Amino acid sequence: MQDAYGRNIEYLRISLTDKCNLRCRYCMPKDGIRVLSHEEILTSGEIVRIASVMHDMGVRKVRLTGGEPLVRRGITDFVRELAEIPDISIAMTSNGVMLGEFAEELKEAGLSSVNVSLDTLNEETFIKLTGRDELKSVLKGIDSAMDAGLKVKLNCVPIKGINDDEIPELTRYAGEHGIPLRFIELMPIGCGVSYKGVPTDELLKRLKKEYGEAKAVSLDKVMNGDVSGPVVYYEFEAYKGMIGFISPITHNFCDGCNRARLTAEGFLKLCLYHSRGIDLKMAVRRGITDNELAKLISEAILNKPKSHSFGQEGDGDHRKMVQIGG
Ligand code: SAM
Ligand code: SF4
């Protein structure tokens, strides 16, 4: 499935819910958001149907996200249903709080990997940043995911004055556990506009000071046949493991974008920060056939914007990240 710029769309991010058990300051307002009602969000059957049609059109990998995907009721049964689509790779992005409870059954249901968000290893900073005292559960969740045999990666969004002094601790923790850690540049989306992220080049400079010379790792070695994302990994002279950088702000990667997003309310979004897309829930509930659904999706994909519109007026999406599905 190609868009108008020849980009191959093979990766679908599915937001399962806009609910979350944390309140990360850069993602969700302190008092939460108006959550969608049960009727407003796609049912598991509707999501599986859309994923299956998109799989027939070339999607090879889905990532379950949110909100927090693990707060959706029936998550394990949903993963099991999704895993019936042949040759589809199922990944998840989670805050890790409930992974201790779910890791093993999710692996058994067909989940292959999980990216856990870990912005701090300091309990006080965790409470300040997320509004909840859950760091211990997250660390336990990471251990459980490893024990269950899931491929685990860590995501960290460094923010000036909040957690950017913890880069050495976070990299050390990841190295000791043998888990790839990826730093994500804070995007000016929703609550993110009130904070200042750390540019990748600044982080790289700091890490070179700590761990010596850096060498970019070839994508083939990292992805091992998996559908790739926008991350660039480095190895450092004195660091065991890899550290990745996702740089939507300072190193625009839209030219190689291979993804689309399905929001919890069934909107097929063509870019994280763009309002363009199509309401698939209405279409599915109107009773259209799979062929008609595929036609609708391929027409929408042709309308995928060339690049995101951070910092520009107009077409951006002005909802919070927790509602868009990060
Ligand atoms: N609740 C899950 C979690 O925290 O991993 C999944 C959803 S969350 C929206 C997905 C990712 O988006 C997290 O790694 C989070 O740190 C990141 N995120 C949220 N707001 C962001 C922003 N403004 N800029 C960059 N990343 C952001
Ligand atoms: Fe919840 Fe994830 Fe947003 Fe934090 S980043 S508030 S865990 S959705």
Side-chain angles (χ1 to χ4, degrees), residues 77-263:
D77 288 339
F78 169 71
V79 169
R80 195 169 289 119
E81 224 183 301
L82 198 58
E84 280 177 22
I85 300 174
D87 299 325
I88 198 157
S89 151
I90 308 174
M92 179 180 282
T93 298
S94 165
N95 61 29
V97 173
M98 294 166 74
L99 261 181
E101 191 183 325
F102 283 105
E104 210 165 296
E105 59 183 64
L106 285 170
K107 167 76 179 155
E108 175 269 321
L111 187 75
S112 55
S113 64
V114 64
N115 290 355
V116 183
S117 300
L118 184 69
D119 291 334
T120 176
L121 286 164
N122 178 301
E123 291 200 5
E124 269 174 42
T125 309
F126 190 95
I127 295 171
K128 250 205 282 179
L129 186 61
T130 70
R132 304 285 187 269
D133 185 4
E134 292 283 11
L135 178 61
K136 282 197 184 75
S137 324
V138 175
L139 298 179
K140 180 170 167 268
I142 293 170
D143 289 342
S144 305
M146 303 271 287
D147 291 346
L150 288 164
K151 273 190 252 163
V152 180
K153 292 187 216 114
L154 299 175
N155 286 343
C156 170
V157 180
I159 301 175
K160 292 220 164 137
I162 294 191
N163 62 345
D164 64 326
D165 57 339
E166 278 191 66
I167 307 299
E169 284 81 7
L170 287 158
T171 49
R172 209 170 304 132
Y173 170 88
E176 281 167 13
H177 285 74
I179 310 177
L181 168 66
R182 300 110 53 80
F183 290 109
I184 305 174
E185 283 179 342
L186 180 75
M187 292 178 273
I189 293 181
C191 306
V193 294
S194 312
Y195 298 92
K196 206 163 183 285
V198 184
T200 288
D201 291 354
E202 186 182 323
L203 276 180
L204 256 174
K205 212 154 122 193
R206 285 203 224 167
L207 288 168
K208 282 182 193 167
K209 247 192 206 158
E210 185 96 14
Y211 299 120
E213 268 316 295
K215 202 172 79 205
V217 183
S218 98
L219 209 57
D220 290 347
K221 178 171 164 190
V222 186
M223 300 318 295
N224 208 5
D226 193 3
V227 172
S228 68
V231 62
V232 179
Y233 281 101
Y234 282 85
E235 285 170 337
F236 293 81
E237 238 173 7
Y239 183 78
K240 197 164 154 270
M242 284 186 301
I243 301 177
F245 299 88
I246 300 175
S247 324
I249 308 297
T250 60
H251 298 264
N252 184 302
F253 44 61
C254 301
D255 280 354
C257 184
N258 60 356
R259 58 189 59 191
R261 293 161 192 274
L262 183 63
T263 68

